[in-house]
Amino acid sequence: MPLPRRRGGHSLLPALALLPLTLLDPVRAQDAVTARLDEIAVRGGSSPGLPPNAPADAVGAEAAAALRTPSLTQSSPVGLNLRTPSRSASRLGLTPLETPASLDIISGETIRLRGQTSVLDAVSQNGTGITAYGSPGSGLGAFSSRGFAGQNSIQTLFDGTRLYVGANTMTFPFDTWNVERIEVLRGPASVLYGDGAIGGIVNVVSKKPLFTPLNVARFGLGEDGIARAAVDSTGPIGESLAYRLNVSGNRAGGWITPEGDFRNLAVSGALTLQANPDLAFTLSHDFGYQEPTRYWGTPLVNGRILEATRFNNYNVRDARIAWTDNWTQFRTEWTPSADITVRNTAYRLQSQRHWRDVEQYRFNPSTGLVDRSDYLEIYHDQEQVGNRLDATFRHSLFGLANQFSAGFDVNHIAFRHTNNFTFSETPTSVPLTGYDPGLFPADGRATPAYATRTNQASVFAEDRLFLTDRLSFLTGVRFDAPQLYREDLRSGATFERSFRALGYRFALLYEPTPETSLYAQYATATDPVNSLITLSQSLAGFQLSTGRQVELGAKGLAFGGTVEWTLAGYRIVKDNLISRLPGSSAIGIQVGQQSSLGAEAAVSWLPAPGWRIDANLAVLHAQYDDFTQTVGGVAVSYAGKQPINVPEQVANLWVNWAFARDWEGRIGLQHVGEVFSDFGNTARRPAYTLVNLGLDHQVTAASRLSLRLFNLFDKIYAIDGNAVDGVGTAWLLGRPRSVEVAYTIAW
């Protein structure tokens, strides 16, 4: 099947011609080296050169570094990681098997073996029932889970710390080279992380310094001028100090023209001081810079994408998007005894973002032209400073074994928004093909608009009481008290608003065998009506939306651990949606309700030597139960309609086959059900299924050559979309068929 030539694209032939030169540069090892990370961690293996109090997530990687193996099958990560300790779903350090909730642990090695270079792809192509969508306006980073969508319903965390969303935009983290693992908790998580997590959380856990030397490098080339380079180096500096440095960069000419190129850079550095066997300090800094493709979608013509316009970009010639993030953390872990652990994290996040684009495109059938509007220039300047402390105790309560954790989280967020929303733009029109993109209006530049200060304080606690050897009762509670101050920099108007939020969870966990668990859970959650730290005065009078979930589930291992499986069923109800009714007010009233009912299943299976199958499936019914909006002065009810950007069927399948010595093939399927871009479910985005292929050859014991083919059948699919008056106007298209090669080496 020949690869199509695309406008502005690049043939793969130059990349293949350069492959011999690429092979001269070392690249493969973390794949072979970090090989059995989860297996070692699950079995509780030890590692030479590891300090007594090294973090748990370092144990597996440290041991893996000492177990270099040329076997591709041995280097495959361990399935669902049901016996790997996690802190995303509980601060008690439970494994997924011990957790009465739905938790995916996706190892960084799995992500890199499957060629997933972005956090969005890693989560959506591996996690159960979670999909990614979003435009450059949201930072290309929004998720949908269990019937709820957006960054105000599914939180993103970095090393367990919540990143507050400004103006519905999140731009960090984005690169997977520095990822130790990604943990996805599905269902309400407000008891752990506060408001904005009714659908779940995505926690990106970074690599930590190791006391065993390890160096890894990778280089890649691909179609459309893609070039990738990355290096990872870690090891000791003396007896008690270790370092880690990760650098990765990506760039391409892009498959969209013009202005379709992109580039990014991620740099992470960390130092760990093992002061004594009971006390460790880690100082880290992560830097991210992105200039993504300045692409906001392709206009629909009679409800479809034309082949002649599929690769066209209708943005202006001098469009610009740039995001810079800096994240500094200082972590302390103290274990004065085997039954007490105290952790503290102090952090500072800075984000600067800039957009200058024309962002809305709509085909006009009467003129045959594409009408362009929303000439926007926006700047974000955000700083988040905070501290989180928690302590875990293991003790006896009323003669029963008990685990208890408590702590607090405080932070301050300063946000400044500069925009040109007062600009009286003149919409423009261009032909479908053969157009001059034009320039951004010189008189449409941004000016300071508003600034906010948010102070947030919370306290939280969790407990696990063992009623019997097999039955345990788990509880959790969190109280949040954010306070927002906003100043309009143009009018001078100000307002303050305080919120109070209480989240709690009760659960029973029964373990009929050491390899099986059954659970029932009830949890509550709160969501802001919009991004909390950039809440406008018109929305300040509303309360936080509230939600509740009931979940039943089972999970376990079978056949000597060759099969790992999970099952879950749930119902979530969210109240206090804003309904806009005629005569009520310009904004509306909080009377609406939204709900979802669904089931999820995942399995990891080793059916025969050299084979591995990982699969997951989620089906649900999501709807607005009570939701009314004013359309043309008339109240229109959307009760029974599917929520925006929420698919009701999601599935992933990965099959690995080590068909010969030092060779492994891989096929991945991703299915996402249909979604809608409007409340009335008339602007439909079709379901799609993508097929990705991979081929790996272990050149030496510590080097690997990889070939990746994405979107095998060149499927045209939409990852986001716009609608006006219930009519779809444009789709943000996903990546077409493309090929990449990479070479990785460790030493």
Side-chain angles (χ1 to χ4, degrees), residues 171-194:
T171 53
F172 180 85
F174 61 93
D175 190 275
T176 60
W177 179 251
N178 186 38
V179 169
E180 177 70 31
R181 62 186 182 274
I182 298 178
E183 302 181 350
V184 181
L185 173 63
R186 305 186 302 283
S190 292
V191 70
L192 292 165
Y193 305 108

Side-chain angles (χ1 to χ4, degrees), residues 370-523:
V370 176
D371 296 334
R372 306 187 302 179
S373 58
D374 279 8
Y375 282 80
L376 296 178
E377 182 172 50
I378 298 172
Y379 292 87
H380 289 178
D381 189 348
Q382 180 176 344
E383 180 184 54
Q384 178 179 331
V385 179
N387 190 88
R388 183 182 67 256
L389 181 143
D390 65 86
T392 302
F393 307 90
R394 300 166 187 83
H395 59 102
S396 176
L397 181 66
F398 306 120
L400 302 174
N402 192 68
Q403 292 175 272
F404 176 75
S405 177
F408 67 85
D409 188 355
V410 294
N411 53 65
H412 170 80
I413 306 103
F415 187 92
R416 185 182 179 91
H417 199 280
T418 301
N419 63 52
N420 69 341
F421 293 173
T422 58
F423 170 55
S424 298
E425 67 177 56
T426 301
T428 60
S429 299
V430 295
L432 279 168
T433 60
Y435 50 84
D436 179 0
L439 299 174
F440 194 86
D443 58 345
R445 304 308 296 268
T447 58
Y450 65 86
T452 69
R453 298 192 303 271
T454 307
N455 294 307
Q456 190 274 148
S458 65
V459 292
F460 49 82
E462 286 184 82
D463 190 81
R464 183 188 186 190
L465 180 65
F466 291 83
L467 303 176
T468 70
D469 290 343
R470 297 183 177 182
L471 181 65
S472 56
F473 179 55
L474 296 96
T475 58
V477 64
R478 177 178 173 125
F479 177 74
D480 287 86
Q483 184 178 34
L484 170 70
Y485 173 84
R486 174 168 169 149
E487 178 184 5
D488 189 309
L489 300 177
R490 291 170 178 155
S491 68
T494 64
F495 77 86
E496 293 187 52
R497 182 72 165 91
S498 296
F499 296 91
R500 299 292 182 268
L502 178 68
Y504 53 89
R505 177 176 68 186
F506 302 100
L508 280 172
L509 180 79
Y510 178 62
E511 300 172 275
T513 73
E515 296 186 335
T516 308
S517 62
L518 311 173
Y519 67 89
Q521 177 210 117
Y522 178 83

Side-chain angles (χ1 to χ4, degrees), residues 72-73 82 90 111 182 201 218 249 253 268-269 278-279 337 412 418 503 551 595 601 604 618 620 628 645 705 713:
L72 286 167
T73 55
L82 291 182
S90 169
I111 293 167
I182 298 178
I201 61 100
R218 183 179 65 191
S268 302
D278 302 327
L279 182 63
S337 73
H412 170 80
T418 301
E551 178 177 343
S595 66
S604 181
L620 67 143
T628 302
N645 290 323
L705 179 65
F713 297 107

Side-chain angles (χ1 to χ4, degrees), residues 94-152:
L94 307 179
T95 68
L97 196 60
E98 300 169 319
T99 302
S102 296
L103 176 67
D104 291 330
I105 298 181
I106 310 164
S107 76
E109 198 54 32
T110 295
I111 293 167
R112 288 180 285 275
L113 283 170
R114 293 174 179 173
Q116 295 154 350
T117 58
S118 75
V119 170
L120 290 181
D121 286 344
V123 172
S124 62
Q125 294 177 16
N126 299 315
T128 305
I130 186 164
T131 58
Y133 72 97
S135 69
S138 64
L140 296 171
F143 296 101
S144 172
S145 175
R146 292 197 167 181
F148 299 87
Q151 293 157 335
N152 296 311

Side-chain angles (χ1 to χ4, degrees), residues 569-588:
Y570 63 88
R571 174 170 169 77
I572 305 177
V573 177
K574 178 179 177 179
D575 299 312
N576 297 327
L577 303 183
I578 299 176
S579 288
R580 292 173 172 84
L581 303 176
S584 61
S585 71
I587 297 301

